């Protein structure tokens, strides 16, 4: 069951612009994942952040593991690239951490949920119990220096962009489809009766009149 679920999730995420995924050695339980930040207001905008995800044999009943290839300077990222994030913790409440069951992993979660949570975490750090204490202190006491340090990670991450891969932008990812200017109404009675300025009441009256004419015939 795990293999079938992961295969379906992999196919769906392959069409997304904010991530670039591939299988490691064609193993559906081991993914190479790149997160692409499309929010222009983010400190991480324009970065290409590679990571690895490994899935247990009983997925989705147990959470996957997520680890950045290159650790980022962030209060909730360990020196080895692992994350301190509730959604990757085993199901159930944890009295020690104070995490509620709804904050942790559950079988209804999916890979997309995890990746979106990671993206959210990047710009919404939890500094009360940091995995990287120094990063947490810097964010709190010297945000300018923290921003500069993040910029270094962001620029360094661009070295991992694959040759020939076109990085999406905020504009390209959320581009509104162009209107079809060549579309026009045909010259008919319906166009006159139901023009753009007609009220709901007028439209109803016109429809009722048409029905009555048909009945008389």
């Amino acid at each position: 069951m795990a293999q079938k679920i992961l295969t379906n999730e992999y196919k769906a995420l392959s069409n997304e612009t904010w991530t670039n995924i591939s299988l490691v050695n064609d193993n559906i339980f081991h993914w190479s994942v790149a997160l692409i930040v499309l929010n222009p207001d983010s400190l991480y905008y324009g970065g290409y952040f590679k990571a690895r995800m490994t899935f247990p044999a009983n997925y989705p009943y147990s959470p996957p593991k997520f680890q950045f290839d290159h650790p980022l300077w962030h209060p909730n990222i360990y020196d080895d690239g692992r994350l301190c994030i509730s959604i990757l913790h085993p199901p159930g409440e944890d009295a020690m951490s104070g995490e509620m069951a709804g904050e942790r992993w559950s079988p209804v979660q999916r890979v997309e949920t995890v990746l979106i949570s990671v993206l959210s975490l990047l710009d919404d750090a939890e500094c009360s119990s940091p995995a990287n204490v120094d990063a947490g202190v810097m964010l709190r006491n010297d945000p300018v220096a923290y921003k500069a340090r993040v910029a270094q990670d962001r620029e360094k991450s661009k070295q991992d962009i694959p040759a020939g891969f076109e990085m999406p932008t905020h504009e390209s990812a959320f581009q509104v489809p162009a209107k079809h200017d060549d579309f026009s109404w045909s010259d008919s009675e319906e166009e006159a009766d139901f023009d753009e300025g007609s009220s709901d009441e007028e439209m109803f009256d016109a429809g009722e009149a048409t029905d009555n004419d048909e009945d008389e015939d």
Side-chain angles (χ1 to χ4, degrees), residues 1-208:
M1 185 177 78
Q3 184 172 354
K4 181 178 180 180
I5 292 175
L6 285 170
T7 299
N8 290 336
E9 292 195 58
Y10 181 84
K11 290 179 179 179
L13 283 170
S14 295
N15 297 322
E16 296 291 343
T17 58
W18 51 271
T19 185
N20 186 26
I21 61 175
S22 61
L23 301 182
V24 178
N25 297 323
D26 292 324
N27 186 348
I28 194 63
F29 291 93
H30 191 181
W31 296 16
S32 175
V33 178
L35 293 177
I36 303 168
V37 181
L38 296 176
N39 176 12
D41 296 325
S42 171
L43 297 179
Y44 298 85
Y45 178 61
Y48 186 91
F49 304 102
K50 288 191 65 178
R52 288 159 285 162
M53 292 190 76
T54 54
F55 301 88
N58 68 336
Y59 177 85
Y61 297 102
S62 294
K65 295 180 179 179
F66 183 101
Q67 186 172 2
F68 282 108
D69 289 359
H70 308 294
L72 303 178
W73 183 254
H74 189 281
N76 305 119
I77 300 178
Y78 291 100
D79 291 340
D80 61 358
R82 290 180 299 115
L83 293 179
C84 181
I85 186 171
S86 299
I87 197 174
L88 293 179
H89 295 163
E93 295 184 5
D94 185 353
M96 294 295 293
S97 67
E99 292 177 342
M100 303 297 291
E103 301 174 309
R104 297 161 68 90
W105 179 262
S106 73
V108 301
Q109 307 285 14
R110 291 294 181 262
V111 179
E112 182 179 17
T113 316
V114 173
L115 298 183
I116 291 176
S117 296
V118 175
L119 286 172
S120 177
L121 180 71
L122 290 180
D123 284 307
D124 190 18
E126 173 54 62
C127 296
S128 61
S129 55
N132 184 329
V133 176
D134 292 337
V137 171
M138 180 182 287
L139 175 59
R140 184 173 58 251
N141 297 336
D142 194 349
V144 175
Y146 181 84
K147 182 177 180 179
R149 183 66 181 268
V150 168
Q152 293 178 12
D153 288 341
R154 183 187 66 235
E155 294 307 309
K156 185 177 180 180
S157 75
K158 295 178 181 180
Q159 299 175 9
D160 290 327
I161 299 175
F165 179 79
E166 184 175 349
M167 282 285 286
T169 63
H170 175 78
E171 292 76 12
S172 65
F174 299 100
Q175 186 175 9
V176 178
K179 294 183 179 180
H180 297 288
D181 295 331
D182 56 344
F183 179 82
S184 61
W185 289 98
S186 61
D187 295 329
S188 64
E189 292 182 359
E190 286 77 10
E191 181 181 4
D193 290 338
F194 303 107
D195 66 333
E196 188 176 352
S198 298
S199 65
D200 293 341
E201 184 177 355
E202 291 171 335
M203 292 171 67
F204 176 80
D205 291 342
E208 187 177 31

